[in-house]
Structures are given as structure tokens and as C-alpha cells.
Amino acid sequence: MANKIPNRQVICETLVTLAQEDKDIMVLASDSRGSAAMAPFANAYPEQFVEVGIAEQNIVGISAGLAHSGKKPFVTSPACFLSMRSIEQIKVDVAYSGTNVKLVGISGGVSYGALGMSHHSVQDIAVARAIPGLAIILPADRHETKRMTEALVQHEGGVYVRIGRNPVEDSYESDDYEFVIGKAVTMREGTDITIIATGETVRTALDAQAELAEAGVSARVLNMHTIKPLDEEAIVRAAQETGGIITVEEHSIHGGLGAAVAEVVVQQHPVPMRILGIPDEPAIAGKTSEVFEHYGISSSNIKKIALGMLGR
Amino acid sequence: MSSTELKSKAAQIRMDLLRMIHGAKTGHTGGSLSNTDILTALYYKIMTIDPARPKWQERDRFIASKGHSVESLWCILADLGFFPREELATFSQFGTRLIGHPNNKVPGIEMNTGALGHGLAISVGMALAAKKDARASRVFCLMGDGEQAEGSVWEAAMAGAHYKLDNLVGIIDRNRLQISGTTEEVMGLEPLEEKWAAFGWHVVSIDGNDIDALVEAFEAAPALAGKPTLVMANTVKGKGVSFAENVPHWHHHVPNDEELAKALAELEAVIGSYTQEGQVQ
């Protein structure tokens, strides 16, 4: 697609625009202004940019101190380190202390490809979910990333955002839709089964929906951009109205979107469910698309699973 | 407050915290006694604060990075009127907000601390914000000496010097004891002052139980423009209670009735000596 740009670039562009009016917006980087695509922000607003060096515990603590004094810090750091190296600072300095820090994990999931498990971030949602008061958001594409970034500036409180490294195909036709933190977006209506996806796998879910439509199956697609607080109402409605759920995510099958959805389904309206994600192993090396294909995070596999669940 | 009034106040705070710990049957007695003089100097002489406006933006900030010895802080905040004195009786009891670590549900507490190695980074952020907003606020961060083993302390130390935060004062309660023994046995820290100096801080080493020396060191900071200050406060764990001084076991030993009476009598005598001099009413 002609307009394909990485979501990290969209966050930067949106913050550059918003920071013109809002001098409290600050961006912090851990030697990551390049990988976070934040160099344009650093150049445009040097007074609102803080370089911390390769020190993820420090970047979260400093951000909490800045937020405590009324600043709106956006921490941009590789998801693998930001989510786990500094998890205690996130728990205590951000969540427990109630500081307004936005943690933006970049190059999340398996988007660091062949760099291996040390650089993959497929446990971050599980870890972040266990922390009370921390919101978790995975935007689907550039349009959603823009709307999300605008919403984050308005939102008071700690948020963990996870985005990938590479350009993503659009899931939305434009940014002309309502983005509400904690509210799932019904991307496609459907009655036979529901596919719930988050982040960049929303595109995969939409492709599966189209393939299923060709096979005569009406699949609903929910974009669960906010994993916490979770839109339980949308999940229960999907269970009631479609009778089966498949979740798709760029995360370990343990503790992520699938687990979160299952907790709701099993307690409120049990229906058959399948969880698609990275299995409990160091992920295989390769491009995101190759890794996804290997583990069955693909439209064709979603279609196959859906047909199986429907007995067709 | 005059020098004698401050010393008398410190003795009173020690009595308050001993009574509080005795009543609650729990607490970090030794470390709270060692840092009482530091906190007394800060709260009654040095810091610009207003108990009626705990969130006043121009205030100075205090971060207790060694959050486990919060008892002296609870007693001081109550004494200054941040919350009712009677609430001290709820310390560590079911549902209390006066828990065993600083808790920002309580007016006068900036951040929740207690996980060691967090406070200095938070303080760097606060000092940086004050610089960016051209506020005169200073940030005082009290760390333990055992806490120096946390790597995150040094990440923050680097950043404080890098950003030339001369509105930041780090304080180490150098009482040389931690739970498992002396700091040098557990994890060697020396030469600690040289380490901080090598990280770009202006280091001042004083007797951390000498209120006059503490006031002088805090008033002098920053001694050098563009450099954060590290006050090495050489203290005695259990200070002010003869039989608790330098005894590792008092790290979180709770005084029994007899020990409490003896400790209170010693501290009464200290206050009495100042009163007799006619310098405190």
C-alpha cells in the first residue's frame, strides 16, 4: 500500500502536532529516538525531549517524577525491555503511585525478527495485565494509532501501549471513527462466529473474515484495541450472539488477549474458544509474516479453525 | 527553629516513633532512629512546605527512597499537622493509610516508595521538571546505604549529573548496617564518596546525627552550580536509644514495655537538658 508507514512514526507525527499547543507533553527515549522514530520530536522540541540512555528502570522513574510535577511524559523504548526490565518501576512508580505516564513499547511482538527471544516482546501483555490500574492498548494501524495518541494526551493515568516496528497494512479506511479507551470496535458484523484480534493482527482477522464470507460463513470481527480495561460487554454479546470465539494476537498464548477473553467467556457465557498466538517456546527467527505463518497466525488458518468449530 | 529547638524536636520525634512502634508491635526501629535528625533538619528548618497546601506547586519535595524507615516521617508529618496526630495509633493496623512504607494517600507524601532503588530516579524527574518550569523547588532524596547495591541508583545518579540538577540533593543514611549484617560484609560499598564524586556529584560528608551539620550542608547546597549534591550522612543505627545503637537486631526489633520506658526516659532527659538551659520552653 502506498501509505504504509510504521505506527511509531504516526505516534511521533501526532505528538509533534499536539506538542505545539501542549507544552506539558514530553517524550523520553532510552537511546531509542531512532528506533522509536522520535528524532523529529527531539529536533522540533528539544526542551520537551529527555534522553535517558540505555536505562529502562531509570526512564520510568524519571517519567514518574516528571508526571508528578504535571508533565505528560511519553516513554518510548523497546517493548521487550520497557515492559520487563522496568516492571517494578511500572508497578510502583506509575501504577501504585498513580502517575500520568504513557509507556510506549516499540518494536513489540516478534517485530525484531531474527534478533531472537531477548528482543521479542510476547510476554508484555501478560505482565502488564497483572498490574492494577494500568491500561493496555495495541492500536491496529496508522489511523487508530493517530486517534489513540490523541486520546492518550487527554487520558489521565498510566497506560502501556504496544506497537510493532514495521509498516502495517490499514485496517481502517480512515481515522474518521470514534476511538474510546476500553471500548472494542466492531470492524465487521457477523452471526456465525467471532474473531477477536488486537494490534496488527486485526488486519489478519479482517482477511480471514473475507475468506470466510466467500465460504458462506458470517464472521464478526472485534478489534480489542484495549486489553485493559477489557470490553467485557462486547465479548459476552459476541458469545451470546455468535456462539464461538477465536482470538488472535502477537503474544504468548499465556496471559494475553486470549486469556483475558477466556476469563470473561468462561465466567459469564461459556462457548467454544480457540486462542491463536505464539506458543510457549522461544519464537522461531524470521520476518513477522514468516513467524506468523509458522505458528498459524494467518487468515487461512483462522478460516480453517472457524470452519472446524462450525462443523463444516 | 533554633539549633536547640531542633535537637529537642528530634528527641520528641524519637519518643513518638518508639511509642508508635511499641503500640503497633511492628516497625523498622533502628533505621528510623538513625534518620530522625536528617528528617528533623529538613522538615523543621530547610524545606519550603505548607502543611495546609501539601500539593502547592512551589514546595520542596522529599522522597524517602529508603521507605522502610517511614516511622519518623509519619511522626513528623503528624506533628506538622499534615494529618491528625491521633492517626499515629493506626500505624500498621488493618486498613490504615499509615502503612509500613510511604503512601501518597497521606497528605505530605509525594510518591509511594519502599521498593529500593526507585527514589532517586523519581527525584531526578521532579528536579528536571522544576528546572524546565523555572521553579525554585528543591528535591531531597533520602537513600539507605544498603540500597546503594541497587543498580538503578547509579542509573539515576548518572542522569542527575548529566542534566546538571543542582536543585537535587541526595542523602545517604550511612548507618553501615543492613538486615544481614554490616554493609561492607553484605556488599562492599567503599569508597562510596569517591563513587558519587566520580558520577559527577558534589559530595559532602558529615555526622548525620548532628543537626547543625545537617542544616549547614543542606543550606549550602548547591555548593557548585550545575552539580547535584550528595550528603553522606554518617549516622548511627538506633541513634538516641543507648541500648539500640549499632545493634543490628534493632533493624526491626520492637521495644517491649521495659525497653520503651528506658528509651523514653533517656530521651526525656535529653529534652530536659535543653529545657534547663532555658532555650526551649
Side-chain angles (χ1 to χ4, degrees):
Chain A
M1 289 182 78
N3 292 328
K4 266 173 61 164
I5 55 170
N7 288 340
R8 55 202 166 110
Q9 196 178 322
V10 179
I11 293 181
C12 180
E13 286 169 4
T14 312
L15 287 177
V16 165
T17 306
L18 295 173
Q20 237 159 4
E21 301 280 311
D22 192 340
K23 293 297 158 196
D24 285 332
I25 293 175
M26 297 194 71
V27 169
L28 291 91
S30 56
D31 195 25
S32 53
R33 78 184 78 181
S35 51
M38 285 296 158
F41 188 98
N43 296 334
Y45 307 105
E47 285 303 310
Q48 287 166 263
F49 180 80
V50 177
E51 175 60 73
V52 167
I54 306 166
E56 291 79 16
Q57 298 180 72
N58 204 27
I59 202 172
V60 176
I62 289 176
S63 300
L66 288 167
H68 181 273
S69 300
K71 302 295 176 194
K72 299 175 184 170
F74 280 72
V75 176
T76 58
S77 180
C80 50
F81 311 126
L82 179 62
S83 65
M84 299 184 82
R85 192 70 168 262
S86 56
I87 192 63
E88 193 185 88
Q89 278 78 6
I90 294 173
K91 176 182 118 178
V92 180
D93 308 352
V94 178
Y96 184 28
S97 283
T99 52
N100 184 27
V101 177
K102 305 299 182 291
L103 303 148
V104 182
I106 51 167
S107 303
V110 295
S111 57
Y112 270 132
L115 295 185
M117 185 169 173
S118 64
H119 282 61
H120 293 164
S121 187
V122 297
Q123 296 82 24
D124 50 349
I125 298 171
V127 169
R129 274 185 67 216
I131 297 187
L134 187 70
I136 306 168
I137 304 175
L138 283 75
D141 68 357
R142 62 193 168 112
H143 299 304
E144 190 154 87
T145 300
K146 177 162 179 268
R147 299 307 305 268
M148 174 201 72
T149 308
E150 292 163 351
L152 288 178
V153 171
Q154 299 299 323
H155 177 84
E156 176 77 26
V159 180
Y160 176 69
V161 172
R162 194 243 266 178
I163 55 171
R165 178 169 184 75
N166 308 309
V168 199
E169 279 193 44
D170 287 351
S171 290
Y172 290 91
E173 285 175 15
S174 75
D175 59 20
D176 183 23
Y177 76 101
E178 197 185 8
F179 179 90
V180 182
I181 294 173
K183 192 103 183 92
V185 178
T186 306
M187 306 294 287
R188 302 285 186 271
E189 285 292 357
T191 51
D192 296 333
I193 197 160
T194 299
I195 308 165
I196 305 179
T198 191
E200 298 173 14
T201 59
V202 169
R203 182 66 256 169
T204 315
L206 291 172
D207 293 343
Q209 184 271 343
E211 290 178 30
L212 282 163
E214 282 173 23
V217 173
S218 164
R220 178 179 303 185
V221 176
L222 291 184
N223 169 10
M224 198 62 72
H225 52 67
T226 307
I227 309 241
K228 199 177 179 184
L230 191 62
D231 189 346
E232 297 190 9
E233 194 264 329
I235 296 167
V236 172
R237 195 154 23 88
Q240 287 167 342
E241 294 173 3
T242 70
I245 292 173
I246 302 168
T247 62
V248 192
E249 63 194 304
E250 188 174 355
H251 186 271
S252 164
I253 52 171
H254 297 304
L257 169 72
V261 170
E263 287 163 12
V264 173
V265 168
V266 78
Q267 294 184 85
Q268 299 191 38
H269 193 91
V271 293
M273 249 197 85
R274 288 290 299 275
I275 295 173
L276 281 186
I278 307 291
D280 195 23
E281 65 181 42
I284 196 167
K287 294 193 193 91
T288 300
S289 55
E290 293 167 336
V291 176
F292 278 17
E293 190 62 40
H294 178 78
Y295 292 123
I297 306 171
S298 62
S299 55
S300 59
N301 192 44
I302 295 170
K303 178 187 170 190
K304 195 174 120 195
I305 290 171
L307 291 175
M309 286 170 76
L310 292 166
R312 301 194 195 174
Chain B
M1 266 192 191
S2 70
S3 167
T4 16
E5 283 170 327
L6 286 170
K7 288 168 189 166
S8 186
K9 179 60 78 178
Q12 179 214 315
I13 296 299
R14 286 188 164 96
M15 291 173 72
D16 288 349
L17 75 87
L18 286 166
R19 286 196 199 98
M20 187 180 78
I21 289 172
H22 176 262
K25 296 186 173 56
T26 181
H28 285 85
T29 311
S32 275
L33 288 169
S34 74
N35 74 28
T36 297
D37 299 303
I38 298 167
L39 295 187
T40 302
L42 287 174
Y43 275 89
Y44 294 92
K45 183 75 177 178
I46 297 295
M47 289 201 300
T48 303
I49 48 169
D50 181 355
R53 290 181 295 163
K55 306 225 181 223
W56 175 42
Q57 186 70 321
E58 301 298 318
R59 72 191 182 279
D60 288 338
R61 271 77 168 167
F62 174 73
I63 295 294
S65 193
K66 52 167 297 192
H68 56 277
S69 43
V70 72
E71 290 84 347
S72 40
L73 186 53
W74 288 146
C75 293
I76 286 170
L77 293 178
D79 186 60
L80 287 171
F82 279 95
F83 59 85
R85 217 181 147 72
E86 303 78 64
E87 201 174 332
L88 292 177
T90 72
F91 172 64
S92 286
Q93 305 306 300
F94 179 74
T96 187
R97 46 179 197 169
L98 300 188
I99 59 174
H101 288 105
N103 165 20
N104 65 0
K105 285 186 184 149
V106 182
I109 297 292
E110 306 286 354
M111 296 277 287
N112 297 331
T113 51
L116 295 174
H118 289 222
L120 193 61
I122 293 165
S123 304
V124 165
M126 290 177 175
L128 201 52
K131 287 268 179 199
K132 291 198 179 287
D133 291 345
R135 273 184 287 113
S137 303
R138 290 203 287 170
V139 185
F140 297 90
C141 177
L142 177 63
M143 295 171 278
D145 49 6
E147 181 179 3
Q148 303 301 301
E150 291 279 10
S152 49
V153 168
W154 302 97
E155 293 183 7
M158 248 186 266
H162 180 84
Y163 284 103
K164 306 188 190 325
L165 299 177
D166 52 18
N167 54 348
L168 173 62
V169 178
I171 308 154
I172 297 177
D173 181 8
R174 184 77 173 109
N175 59 38
R176 297 178 183 269
L177 288 176
Q178 56 191 108
I179 294 181
S180 305
T182 70
T183 52
E184 299 314 297
E185 281 166 356
V186 176
M187 179 50 64
L189 298 173
E190 296 294 357
L192 191 53
E193 287 165 29
E194 285 84 343
K195 283 175 186 163
W196 280 90
F199 272 70
W201 288 57
H202 176 67
V203 181
V204 188
S205 184
I206 55 165
D207 176 347
N209 292 124
D210 178 345
I211 291 220
D212 298 330
L214 286 159
V215 167
E216 192 186 333
F218 294 143
E219 277 180 344
L224 294 170
K227 272 199 175 196
T229 297
L230 188 280
V231 175
M232 189 67 70
N234 295 289
T235 61
V236 171
K237 202 154 178 171
K239 179 73 182 181
V241 176
S242 60
F243 51 91
E245 289 188 359
N246 270 325
V247 181
H249 150 78
W250 276 86
H251 177 82
H252 46 203
H253 178 70
V254 175
N256 60 30
D257 293 351
E258 194 184 324
E259 287 165 336
L260 178 69
K262 201 167 168 229
L264 293 181
E266 286 184 16
L267 292 160
E268 288 271 19
V270 170
I271 295 175
S273 71
Y274 292 126
T275 313
Q276 273 171 10
E277 288 170 24
Q279 285 162 302
V280 175
Q281 5 172 324

